[in-house]
């Protein structure tokens, strides 16, 4: 079960936008739009921010948006705020094992 | 409001079995799929398995020979057993609800398990 590939770090200044990528194999992304994104602050449990590529759970600001093109999914955070500084993980349906798989995580720094 | 809470020993000896329970409140454990995920210090998230009323249980191949998950509808709980643990199994273990699209929408606070003699 291979992990999804994310850049280890990303950064931007408050008010700016940042995009985090998540690259998988076709077996992860090709058939199903089952990509999720999670935000994790230090010492806290992950929080679901995006599911099914583009959908936001209730309570998640619309500054967070998701997209997918081919084998790469992306999370964009617009109008960055200091509290957005966290680790972000993508996840996708892994197909053959009927389970999910996570990316390695991206640490977002708000400069 | 649905909540999940992990419980179990924080210290397990090498070669023994790690046993954790996740208690669900605010909803029936029969209504959803549930998962265990772990996170080693300074590392990313690792999906261990997914279960639904003891049916259609799916395990990560990396754990498959050592792991058992089960659901107890009478107690509204689901559980994880990981056999023959080593120091590499030291991690924070989370339980979570699986919604459609394999999204994990409700997470427990996590429980730290250390494998050490």
């Amino acid at each position: 079960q291979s992990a999804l590939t994310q850049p280890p770090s990303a950064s931007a200044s408050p008010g700016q936008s940042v995009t985090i990528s998540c690259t998988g194999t076709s077996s992860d992304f090709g058939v199903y739009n089952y990509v999720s994104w999670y935000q994790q602050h230090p010492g806290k449990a992950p929080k679901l921010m995006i599911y099914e590529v583009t959908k936001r759970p209730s309570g998640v600001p619309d500054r967070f948006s998701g997209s997918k093109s081919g084998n790469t999914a992306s999370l964009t955070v617009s109008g960055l705020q200091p509290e957005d500084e966290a680790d972000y993980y993508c996840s996708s349906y892994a197909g053959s094992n009927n389970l999910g798989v996570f990316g390695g995580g991206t640490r977002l720094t708000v400069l | 409001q649905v909540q999940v809470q992990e419980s179990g020993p924080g210290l397990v000896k090498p070669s023994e079995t790690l046993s954790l329970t996740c208690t669900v409140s605010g909803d029936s454990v029969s209504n959803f799929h549930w998962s265990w995920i772990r996170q080693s210090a300074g590392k990313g998230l690792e999906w261990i398995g997914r279960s639904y009323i003891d049916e259609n249980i799916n395990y990560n191949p990396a754990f498959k020979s050592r792991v058992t998950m089960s659901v107890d509808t009478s107690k509204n709980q689901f559980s994880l057993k990981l056999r023959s643990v080593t120091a590499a199994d030291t991690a924070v273990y989370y339980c979570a609800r699986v919604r459609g699209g394999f999204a994990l929408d409700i997470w427990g606070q996590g429980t730290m398990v250390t494998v050490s003699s």
Side-chain angles (χ1 to χ4, degrees):
Chain A
Q1 194 179 29
S2 57
L4 306 173
T5 301
Q6 298 181 235
S9 63
S11 62
S13 300
Q16 291 187 330
S17 295
V18 66
T19 296
I20 299 171
S21 63
C22 173
T23 302
T25 64
S26 58
S27 63
D28 300 327
F29 287 141
V31 178
Y32 303 96
N33 285 326
Y34 290 163
V35 179
S36 304
W37 289 92
Y38 302 88
Q39 176 192 66
Q40 186 179 33
H41 288 110
K44 300 293 187 181
K47 174 186 176 183
L48 180 66
M49 305 300 285
I50 297 288
Y51 66 99
E52 293 178 9
V53 181
T54 61
K55 299 177 181 178
R56 278 188 310 276
S58 174
V60 173
D62 59 6
R63 302 184 294 102
F64 291 84
S65 62
S67 63
K68 187 183 82 168
S69 178
N71 291 342
T72 299
S74 298
L75 172 72
T76 297
V77 187
S78 306
L80 271 172
Q81 298 184 4
E83 59 265 33
D84 297 334
E85 184 163 292
D87 293 329
Y88 290 84
Y89 294 90
C90 63
S91 177
S92 175
Y93 174 54
S96 59
N97 293 318
N98 209 21
L99 203 60
V101 61
F102 290 101
T106 298
R107 176 149 297 176
L108 174 60
T109 301
V110 180
L111 301 170
Chain B
Q1 181 182 1
V2 180
Q3 292 183 314
V4 294
Q5 176 69 58
E6 306 89 353
S7 60
L11 181 64
V12 182
K13 290 182 169 55
S15 80
E16 295 190 345
T17 297
L18 179 161
S19 296
L20 297 175
T21 297
C22 185
T23 300
V24 179
S25 59
D27 199 353
S28 169
V29 73
S30 304
N31 290 342
F32 288 92
H33 294 248
W34 304 91
S35 276
W36 288 97
I37 301 97
R38 76 179 187 181
Q39 186 171 34
S40 304
K43 294 187 179 180
L45 301 166
E46 190 171 24
W47 208 312
I48 300 172
R50 183 179 73 113
S51 61
Y52 175 68
I53 322 179
D54 277 350
E55 303 170 359
N56 299 320
I57 298 178
N58 305 107
Y59 299 122
N60 182 333
F63 300 96
K64 199 164 186 177
S65 63
R66 299 194 293 137
V67 66
T68 302
M69 293 171 57
S70 61
V71 176
D72 187 337
T73 55
S74 67
K75 295 181 179 179
N76 221 36
Q77 296 175 334
F78 62 105
S79 65
L80 169 72
K81 292 187 186 299
L82 185 64
R83 297 176 290 278
S84 304
V85 297
T86 69
D89 294 310
T90 294
V92 176
Y93 287 77
Y94 296 98
C95 60
R97 188 177 76 172
V98 188
R99 63 169 300 154
F102 284 79
L104 301 162
D105 66 338
I106 306 291
W107 292 68
Q109 64 183 24
T111 186
M112 178 68 202
V113 179
T114 300
V115 178
S116 175
S117 56

